[in-house]
Amino acid sequence: MKADVEKLHAENPAAPIPVDLVTASGSGLDPEISPAAAEFQVPRVARERKLTEADVRALVQKHTLRRQFGFLGEPRVRVLELNLDLDANHPRR
């Protein structure tokens, strides 16, 4: 976990590291992440995909689920859907 924190801090030194980026489910494959975790990764994804950060943020918003009925659960980003959208419409060059 300490190594993950150090790696993430090196990637984005000015931003606080969302806890769900350094913790994971038993499988390590989490289908959803917090909006904060997605936001933390926006600069890297934009750089890798040759997109603007605003474009990546718009895609994150598109794949963000809100609280059910406005009060149940927490907002979350569907990682698989976001990655499929990025791959289909903005492949790595």
Side-chain angles (χ1 to χ4, degrees):
M1 195 157 140
K2 184 179 179 183
D4 289 342
V5 169
E6 290 171 358
K7 179 181 172 188
L8 291 167
H9 181 69
E11 175 185 327
N12 200 344
I17 300 169
V19 70
D20 55 327
L21 287 182
V22 293
T23 60
S25 66
S27 69
L29 300 172
D30 297 317
E32 298 170 345
I33 60 173
S34 70
E39 175 62 29
F40 183 90
Q41 298 175 77
V42 163
R44 177 177 45 82
V45 173
R47 187 174 54 252
E48 292 292 321
R49 300 284 180 145
K50 310 264 189 291
L51 296 169
T52 67
E53 289 185 18
D55 289 339
V56 176
R57 283 188 184 94
L59 288 170
V60 168
Q61 286 295 332
K62 177 180 173 184
H63 296 286
T64 298
L65 299 173
R66 303 288 173 219
R67 292 178 174 180
Q68 191 173 19
F69 307 118
F71 64 92
L72 292 176
E74 293 296 324
R76 61 237 183 257
V77 178
R78 296 230 131 146
V79 176
L80 177 60
E81 291 174 6
L82 175 58
N83 285 335
L84 289 172
D85 195 347
L86 283 164
D87 287 344
N89 299 302
H90 308 284
R92 293 180 185 136
R93 297 177 209 169

